[in-house]
Amino acid sequence: MNITLESILAKLPIELIKQNITNHIQPLKTMLPDKRMGSVIEIIIMGILGGQTPVITGIARHNGKENGESWATAKRIYRLLDNRRLKTKDLYEGLYQAGQKVVEQEAPEHLVVAVDPVNFEKPYAKAIEGVSIVHKATPPDLNGHARLTHGYPSITAMIVNTKVPVTSYANWFSYVTADFISQNKEIEQAFTTTCRLYSQYRICYVGDAGLDDQKMFAQVGNLKQEFVFRASHLERIVEVYNERLDRWETETLQGLVDCVPYQAAFQVLFKHAGQTRLDTIQFGWFMVRIPGTTQLLWILVADDQTLNRQLVLITNIPLKSLKVVQQIYNDWRLRTRIEHGYRFDQEQGLDVEDMRVHTVERMCRLFAFVLLAAHGRALVTPVGWQTRTVR
């Protein structure tokens, strides 16, 4: 049996994949207090990618096929997860530095960073440390609505305008532990950490309706950066400038959106679920500000004439030309790449929700390894080695 297995493994480019993984996590290995930890982390990344699982025994089984050492390999992984000399923040800092290498190689003109909170479900976990009640929309309940379930919240900031996705901030946390302050604080930490890592770049933060908050606008403004968020609170009161009377007037955002004059129309290509369609999008925009503040904001309204639906974006980037409008719309469309990343981590790839460790600290560490594996999968695939997706 071993002879047959060794002949199969000999045909795979295992050594080349291992070398690529070693290069990918090299920034993390330089931060470890013990060199032996680096070899264990390589085993974890190889196991997560090869076994498509965050379960420790599955990781060990994938790495111990030749010599039957799955038990010993699993023991090494568990020791690493419990090692007090290894700091969890160092794992995430190594993850960020690995991303900095990718950004340095690609050298984009500016960075588009998608910030998005997501809840991971642990439906049968009721006594595990830090387990929380989270709001989960996928999959929905029997009536097609979102539901409350046991799980853990997390937040990720990802650079989405690079060929290889790059994580600039990530955290797996709990609502009930002593170190938790608020989810808004976690989002603010994502903003500040990204600015610290890429202070030489102009950064545009993109986000869904959950970031449509006046506090978020002020936080990004204080960092001297840009944002494009999907507006969800259309019932809010805003001030719009009346040029004829030279004064600011109070209106509802919904009323302004309903009567916005369209100034341009384009055909936009959409790809979803293996299908491609060409939609006609009409654009209109205007300037507003929140009452009691001096920060100028712009509203971009994009009406999809083909599907009869509307998108409202709010940004602090002055919409002074059609070129800027197109750039903002294209940057916000890149936000969906973080959704694809979550889908790979959560459902069709690494099954991160299936991790079977019982403390928040171990979950945080394993989450960092899953992100290293997910974002490094494009780097560890050798040239000429074809991979197939099973549908």
Side-chain angles (χ1 to χ4, degrees):
M1 182 176 179
N2 288 339
I3 294 176
T4 304
L5 184 59
E6 290 176 1
S7 63
I8 295 175
L9 294 177
K11 299 178 182 179
L12 301 178
I14 301 297
E15 294 302 322
L16 184 56
I17 293 176
K18 287 182 178 179
Q19 184 60 45
N20 288 338
I21 289 177
T22 302
N23 296 335
H24 175 55
I25 66 172
Q26 187 60 38
L28 172 59
K29 295 176 67 174
T30 59
M31 304 175 62
L32 300 175
D34 193 323
K35 291 184 178 179
R36 292 174 294 183
M37 294 181 181
S39 61
V40 181
I41 293 177
E42 290 180 6
I43 290 174
I44 294 174
I45 303 300
M46 282 285 293
I48 292 175
L49 286 175
Q52 296 184 347
T53 177
V55 179
I56 304 301
T57 52
I59 295 172
R61 183 168 60 250
H62 179 78
N63 284 275
K65 288 183 177 179
E66 289 189 15
N67 302 318
E69 297 179 350
S70 298
W71 179 83
T73 303
K75 194 173 180 180
R76 293 178 67 188
I77 297 173
Y78 276 116
R79 281 201 300 263
L80 179 71
L81 294 178
D82 288 333
N83 196 314
R84 296 183 179 180
R85 295 175 59 198
L86 178 64
K87 304 299 182 182
T88 303
K89 65 177 182 180
D90 291 340
L91 292 179
Y92 284 93
E93 193 64 32
L95 171 67
Y96 305 152
Q97 290 187 15
Q100 285 179 310
K101 288 178 54 179
V102 175
V103 174
E104 183 180 355
Q105 293 173 358
E106 297 195 20
E109 295 182 359
H110 73 291
L111 300 181
V112 179
V113 180
V115 180
D116 194 28
V118 65
N119 295 322
F120 292 109
E121 182 179 3
K122 307 286 283 186
Y124 305 109
K126 297 183 180 180
I128 301 178
E129 179 188 1
V131 66
S132 308
I133 302 297
V134 298
H135 189 264
K136 192 74 174 176
T138 54
D141 60 14
L142 296 178
N143 297 321
H145 303 301
R147 54 199 166 82
L148 295 178
T149 184
H150 292 89
Y152 292 87
S154 71
I155 186 170
T156 305
M158 181 188 296
I159 299 174
V160 292
N161 64 329
T162 52
K163 294 180 180 178
V164 178
V166 171
T167 297
S168 60
Y169 180 79
N171 192 19
W172 176 295
F173 56 95
S174 168
Y175 290 139
V176 298
T177 54
D179 58 344
F180 174 72
I181 300 176
S182 69
Q183 184 167 288
N184 286 342
K185 196 67 177 179
E186 290 291 333
I187 296 176
E188 181 182 5
Q189 188 65 33
F191 293 151
T192 56
T193 301
T194 303
C195 285
R196 174 179 61 84
L197 295 172
Y198 302 98
S199 57
Q200 72 276 23
Y201 283 95
R202 176 174 66 88
I203 301 174
C204 178
Y205 296 99
V206 294
D208 207 358
L211 273 65
D212 181 17
D213 192 309
Q214 184 177 340
K215 295 186 294 295
M216 309 297 175
F217 306 159
Q219 290 167 4
V220 179
N222 293 336
L223 294 172
K224 309 299 182 183
Q225 299 295 349
E226 303 168 345
F227 68 83
V228 181
F229 301 149
R230 184 165 72 90
S232 62
H233 301 293
L234 300 183
E235 74 284 355
R236 63 156 51 101
I237 302 298
V238 297
E239 294 179 343
V240 60
Y241 185 68
N242 189 324
E243 296 183 358
R244 183 177 62 86
L245 300 178
D246 191 22
R247 67 183 184 188
W248 289 91
E249 298 178 348
T250 301
E251 298 284 349
T252 63
L253 183 56
Q254 182 68 69
L256 295 172
V257 169
D258 291 339
C259 63
V260 61
Y262 295 108
Q263 305 173 52
F266 298 97
Q267 286 189 321
V268 181
L269 185 67
F270 290 92
K271 295 181 179 180
H272 179 69
Q275 297 182 353
T276 302
R277 70 175 190 274
L278 197 62
D279 292 0
T280 301
I281 309 294
Q282 290 184 330
F283 294 98
W285 57 91
F286 53 91
M287 182 180 67
V288 298
R289 72 181 184 186
I290 306 296
T293 67
T294 59
Q295 185 182 24
L296 297 180
L297 303 172
W298 277 260
I299 304 297
L300 175 61
V301 181
D303 273 345
D304 190 331
Q305 300 297 306
T306 305
L307 297 182
N308 192 24
R309 63 183 182 183
Q310 188 178 71
L311 171 68
V312 181
L313 302 177
I314 185 168
T315 178
N316 63 343
I317 305 174
L319 303 183
K320 298 295 183 66
S321 66
L322 188 57
K323 182 179 180 180
V324 176
V325 170
Q326 289 178 293
Q327 183 65 52
I328 288 175
Y329 182 73
N330 291 333
D331 285 350
W332 190 85
R333 288 187 64 194
L334 292 174
R335 194 202 66 84
T336 56
R337 293 192 65 186
I338 197 172
E339 301 286 353
H340 300 326
Y342 283 143
R343 191 172 295 113
F344 178 78
D345 297 342
Q346 188 174 352
E347 300 171 6
Q348 300 175 350
L350 306 181
D351 199 11
V352 68
E353 292 179 327
D354 195 33
M355 64 172 67
R356 302 175 190 178
V357 290
H358 293 169
T359 66
V360 177
E361 184 74 13
R362 295 177 190 173
M363 294 178 192
C364 290
R365 295 185 176 191
L366 203 51
F367 186 49
F369 294 139
V370 170
L371 291 177
L372 270 172
H375 299 323
R377 73 187 191 276
L379 297 175
V380 302
T381 303
V383 177
W385 176 252
Q386 301 294 328
T387 59
R388 294 187 301 169
T389 301
V390 180
R391 300 185 178 220

